[in-house]
Amino acid sequence: MGKGLFITFEGADGCGKTTQMKLLAQYLEQQGYDVVLTREPGGKGLGEKVREILLNYDGVVSDRCESFLFLADRAQNIDIIVNPAVNAGKIVLCDRHTDSTVAYQGYGRGLDIERINKLNYIATNGRKPDLTFVFDIDTETSMKRVGKEKDRMESAGLEFHNRVRYGYLEIARQEPERIKVIDASKSIEEIHKEVLNQLAKKFIQEF
Ligand code: TYD
């Protein structure tokens, strides 16, 4: 593969993307690839502190402030983790990225999507994922999977999460080359197979 890859995992809370990311990491490592896992918000160090604020702060957070915190964390993740690894020829798997901000802050909170796209561009310095999986599932099922212990974002309600789901499908419709929608209501094994299929289709020359 040589030049490195940046693959992102997106979808509603409770869609199973983290499980799928870990399964893909295992598979790729078994094939001998050098894999780096990261997440947004989070990653490591400062990113984990921003994550703590975003998910657990119990005071008032304005929608714009929330967006800027996600974007600040993204800039850190790109500069400190993603770019160095991809440039060194590694495969970076990232749990959530730019599409989360469009889906959650744009479609979910109702902020202007064009502006979010511009801010995402600034936060990533123009780095785009080579491939993105959106794990799609109906909102009631995903909320049930999340359970009763909900963080600040998960507590935003069914309507909000329906808008997020619609947002993801809309983004995927606009960028079919990069974004592959996967039916996340299937079994973990079936979904993993579909992820491998899509990966092979996209990078057929390299595999
Ligand atoms: P996630 O890591 O999926 O949460 P968990 O580990 O609890 O499953 O995502 C954290 C939350 O942050 C999730 O509700 C989505 C939200 N989020 C945004 O609203 N905007 C963003 O830009 C990002 C990256 C995440």
Side-chain angles (χ1 to χ4, degrees):
M1 209 168 282
K3 67 179 179 45
L5 275 181
F6 179 33
I7 302 175
T8 58
F9 291 70
E10 297 277 2
D13 297 271
C15 69
K17 64 186 164 39
T18 311
T19 307
Q20 290 301 327
M21 184 175 89
K22 289 181 181 159
L23 282 175
L24 180 61
Q26 269 172 20
Y27 171 85
L28 290 170
E29 275 164 358
Q30 279 161 9
Q31 304 295 308
Y33 293 106
D34 210 340
V35 180
V36 170
L37 296 182
T38 185
R39 65 174 177 175
E40 294 181 14
K44 63 180 178 189
L46 177 64
E48 286 299 326
K49 291 203 185 285
V50 180
R51 179 183 177 89
E52 174 63 26
I53 299 173
L54 276 162
L55 299 189
N56 298 326
Y57 180 69
D58 59 3
V60 177
V61 183
S62 87
D63 292 349
R64 287 188 331 113
C65 170
E66 179 182 279
S67 303
F68 277 110
L69 285 171
F70 281 118
L71 289 157
D73 167 75
R74 178 155 309 133
Q76 174 84 352
N77 187 39
I78 286 285
D79 292 348
I80 305 294
I81 302 173
V82 177
N83 278 346
V86 174
N87 294 339
K90 298 180 183 174
I91 301 181
V92 176
L93 306 184
C94 185
D95 195 340
R96 295 196 182 282
H97 188 56
T98 43
D99 302 310
S100 282
T101 317
V102 179
Y104 281 78
Q105 280 65 50
Y107 286 90
R109 301 277 193 225
L111 296 184
D112 185 80
I113 286 163
E114 271 314 299
R115 274 171 112 180
I116 291 178
N117 286 336
K118 284 185 191 146
L119 292 169
N120 263 335
Y121 186 81
I122 295 169
T124 58
N125 232 345
R127 161 77 66 190
K128 277 202 108 180
D130 298 292
L131 175 65
T132 296
F133 294 111
V134 166
F135 297 91
D136 181 56
I137 190 155
D138 75 89
T139 309
E140 287 190 12
T141 312
S142 63
M143 284 293 105
K144 264 192 209 128
R145 284 193 193 169
V146 167
K148 287 210 172 75
E149 292 267 306
K150 293 184 169 55
D151 65 35
R152 198 177 64 82
M153 297 303 299
E154 288 159 356
S155 310
L158 203 65
E159 286 284 289
F160 172 84
H161 286 281
N162 272 329
R163 289 197 297 277
V164 170
R165 181 185 186 201
Y166 169 81
Y168 271 126
L169 295 176
E170 193 54 31
I171 304 167
R173 209 179 49 77
Q174 289 164 15
E175 280 189 78
E177 273 304 303
R178 170 175 71 88
I179 305 177
K180 305 298 170 197
V181 178
I182 291 187
D183 178 356
S185 66
K186 295 188 176 157
S187 73
I188 291 177
E189 236 344 278
E190 279 173 309
I191 299 172
H192 177 55
K193 274 196 193 132
E194 182 58 22
V195 166
L196 294 183
N197 275 343
Q198 293 290 352
L199 195 68
K201 259 195 218 159
K202 174 93 185 172
F203 302 110
I204 200 84
Q205 327 76 303
E206 286 104 330
F207 270 75

